[in-house]
C-alpha cells in the first residue's frame, strides 16, 4: 500500500459553478515508478476535453484516478464539487466509505478501448444490468430506457443481439449506451476507437459527437486529431506524467509551442 498524503487545507474549493472536473497537483506512483507528477486540469461543465499524449504518458492512469480505479498519492480531484475519495470535516480529510465511493463512481461513466461487454448477455441485457442490479430500477422501466439508449446510438434493431454477433463499432456503441444508462454527469473515454478497424471508427465518433452536442461533459483520451479539433473545447497534451501544453484544440494543433507536442502531432497527423 502506498501512503496517501492529501494535505488538508482550509477553504478548499467546493462546488464552483460551471466546473465539472478539477484536478490539483495529482500524483500517482506504482512502486518507485512515478506516473503522474502533478497534474492540474479543469474541465468546465458541458465541455469536451481531449487528452493526448504518447503511450505511457499516464493518460489512462489519470482517467482511472478520476473514477476510483486507482488511488492517488497526493493532490486532489473534484467532480462536480465533490472531492473524489475523501470528505472534508473539521479541516481534515477522511477517506470515504465503500458505499460513498460506489456512489461517486456511479455518477461517472467510463468507456474503455476494449468494450468489456458481458458476452453471455444481449445488447439490451448489457445495458439494463447496472441500473437494475446497482440502482434497483424496475426491469420494465430499465428495459424501456435501455431500448431508447440503444436506439440513440443507432442500435435500435440489435436489442436481442449478443456481443459476439456485433461488430467492434457496434459493441463500443453498446458500451457507450451501457455507461449512459447510469445517467452519469461525466463521461470518460479511454481511446474508445483505438481497437477498431478503421472503417468502424467513424460510427463511434459520431455517437460521441452527438453526446457532446447534447451537453455531456467528457474527457476523451484519443489520437483522433480530427475529433479533437472538431469537437474538443480544450486539448491537453501530456507527456511523462505532466501536462506539457494545453489550450484550444485548433490553436494547439495548428501552433504547438513545445517540441514534444510538435513531435507527437507530427506522428499522429
Ligand atoms: P497511457 O495511457 O498514457 O499510455 P498509462 O497511464 O497506461 O499511460 O501508463 C503510464 C505508466 O504507468 C506506464 O509506464 C505503465 O507501464 C505504468 N502503469 C500503469 N498501470 C500500472 C500498474 N497497475 N502497475 C504498474 N505500472 C503501471
Ligand atoms: Mg492508455
Amino acid at each position: 500500500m502506498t501512503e496517501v498524503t492529501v494535505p488538508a487545507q482550509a477553504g478548499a474549493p467546493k462546488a464552483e459553478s460551471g466546473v465539472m472536473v478539477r484536478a490539483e497537483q495529482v500524483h500517482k506512483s506504482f512502486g518507485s515508478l512515478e506516473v503522474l507528477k502533478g497534474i492540474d486540469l479543469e474541465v468546465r461543465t458541458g465541455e469536451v476535453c481531449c487528452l493526448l499524449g504518447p503511450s505511457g504518458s499516464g493518460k489512462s492512469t489519470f482517467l482511472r484516478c478520476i473514477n476510483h480505479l486507482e488511488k492517488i498519492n497526493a493532490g486532489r480531484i473534484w467532480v462536480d464539487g465533490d472531492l473524489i475519495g475523501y470528505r472534508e470535516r473539521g479541516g481534515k480529510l477522511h477517506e470515504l466509505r465503500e458505499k460513498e465511493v460506489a456512489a461517486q463512481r456511479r455518477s461517472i461513466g467510463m468507456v474503455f478501448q476494449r468494450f468489456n461487454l458481458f458476452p453471455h448477455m444481449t445488447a439490451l441485457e448489457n445495458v439494463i444490468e447496472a441500473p437494475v442490479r446497482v440502482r434497483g430500477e424496475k426491469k420494465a422501466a430499465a428495459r424501456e430506457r435501455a431500448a431508447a439508449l440503444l436506439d440513440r446510438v443507432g442500435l435500435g434493431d440489435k436489442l436481442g443481439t449478443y456481443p459476439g454477433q456485433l461488430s467492434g463499432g457496434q459493441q463500443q456503441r453498446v458500451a457507450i449506451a451501457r455507461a449512459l444508462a447510469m445517467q452519469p454527469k461525466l463521461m470518460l473515454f479511454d481511446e474508445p476507437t483505438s481497437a477498431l478497424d478503421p472503417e468502424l471508427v467513424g460510427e463511434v465518433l459520431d455517437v460521441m459527437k452527438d453526446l457532446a452536442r447534447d451537453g455531456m461533459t467528457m474527457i476523451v483520451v484519443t489520437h483522433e486529431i480530427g475529433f479533437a479539433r472538431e469537437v474538443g473545447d480544450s486539448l491537453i497534451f501530456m507527456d511523462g506524467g505532466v501536462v506539457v501544453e494545453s489550450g484550444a484544440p485548433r490553436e494547439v494543433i495548428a501552433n504547438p509551442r513545445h517540441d514534444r507536442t510538435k513531435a507527437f502531432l507530427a506522428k499522429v497527423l
Side-chain angles (χ1 to χ4, degrees), residues 13-268:
K14 187 52 192 159
E16 289 166 87
S17 70
V19 177
M20 180 57 77
V21 183
R22 174 185 296 287
E24 272 179 21
Q25 285 302 300
V26 170
H27 289 258
K28 173 68 187 172
S29 298
F30 294 106
S32 59
L33 179 69
E34 194 180 16
V35 173
L36 300 179
K37 302 174 182 170
I39 301 291
D40 291 314
L41 158 158
E42 180 185 291
V43 183
R44 300 190 62 78
T45 305
E47 287 196 345
V48 176
C49 169
C50 292
L51 195 50
L52 275 69
S55 177
S57 55
K59 307 179 298 294
S60 295
T61 301
F62 180 65
L63 288 193
R64 293 167 61 82
C65 288
I66 299 176
N67 204 20
H68 290 278
L69 295 170
E70 302 288 354
K71 215 170 203 183
I72 65 179
N73 301 112
R76 292 179 182 204
I77 302 172
W78 290 265
V79 172
D80 202 19
D82 278 341
L83 193 54
I84 289 295
Y86 297 90
R87 177 205 325 285
E88 208 152 13
R89 207 193 296 120
K92 280 194 179 155
L93 291 179
H94 304 268
E95 279 197 44
L96 292 184
R97 282 188 279 268
E98 212 171 300
K99 265 199 164 173
E100 299 165 312
V101 168
Q104 284 189 339
R105 283 190 69 180
R106 277 203 293 281
S107 67
I108 302 169
M110 188 147 179
V111 174
F112 301 89
Q113 184 172 336
R114 294 258 155 227
F115 335 114
N116 311 95
L117 297 176
F118 301 112
H120 59 290
M121 293 183 185
T122 64
L124 188 86
E125 287 164 352
N126 265 281
V127 177
I128 68 167
E129 200 270 343
V132 169
R133 187 180 50 82
V134 180
R135 288 222 310 212
E137 275 184 37
K138 292 264 189 314
K139 263 205 172 164
R143 266 207 196 96
E144 203 168 304
R145 241 166 28 81
L149 282 170
L150 285 166
D151 192 49
R152 182 173 173 193
V153 300
L155 296 173
D157 57 342
K158 303 284 184 199
L159 307 187
T161 307
Y162 287 89
Q165 266 93 56
L166 295 171
S167 73
Q170 291 171 330
Q171 289 184 55
Q172 192 60 303
R173 287 186 279 147
V174 174
I176 293 172
R178 184 176 60 174
L180 292 175
M182 293 298 277
Q183 300 178 292
K185 46 190 172 191
L186 169 68
M187 286 283 286
L188 308 175
F189 291 87
D190 194 356
E191 300 201 36
T193 60
S194 295
L196 299 177
D197 291 334
E199 74 272 22
L200 304 178
V201 167
E203 64 192 55
V204 172
L205 293 180
D206 283 346
V207 166
M208 293 166 62
K209 278 178 207 169
D210 176 58
L211 260 185
R213 230 176 283 130
D214 217 39
M216 177 62 77
T217 311
M218 305 168 31
I219 302 181
V220 183
V221 174
T222 185
H223 293 185
E224 296 289 336
I225 300 297
F227 177 87
R229 193 192 285 120
E230 193 188 327
V231 185
D233 295 292
S234 62
L235 184 155
I236 291 180
F237 177 71
M238 265 176 78
D239 194 5
V242 299
V243 173
V244 172
E245 176 161 4
S246 63
R250 281 170 199 281
E251 190 53 37
V252 177
I253 292 164
N255 300 304
R257 281 169 296 160
H258 290 263
D259 288 344
R260 284 192 277 176
T261 321
K262 286 178 195 165
F264 176 80
L265 288 173
K267 271 189 215 153
V268 295

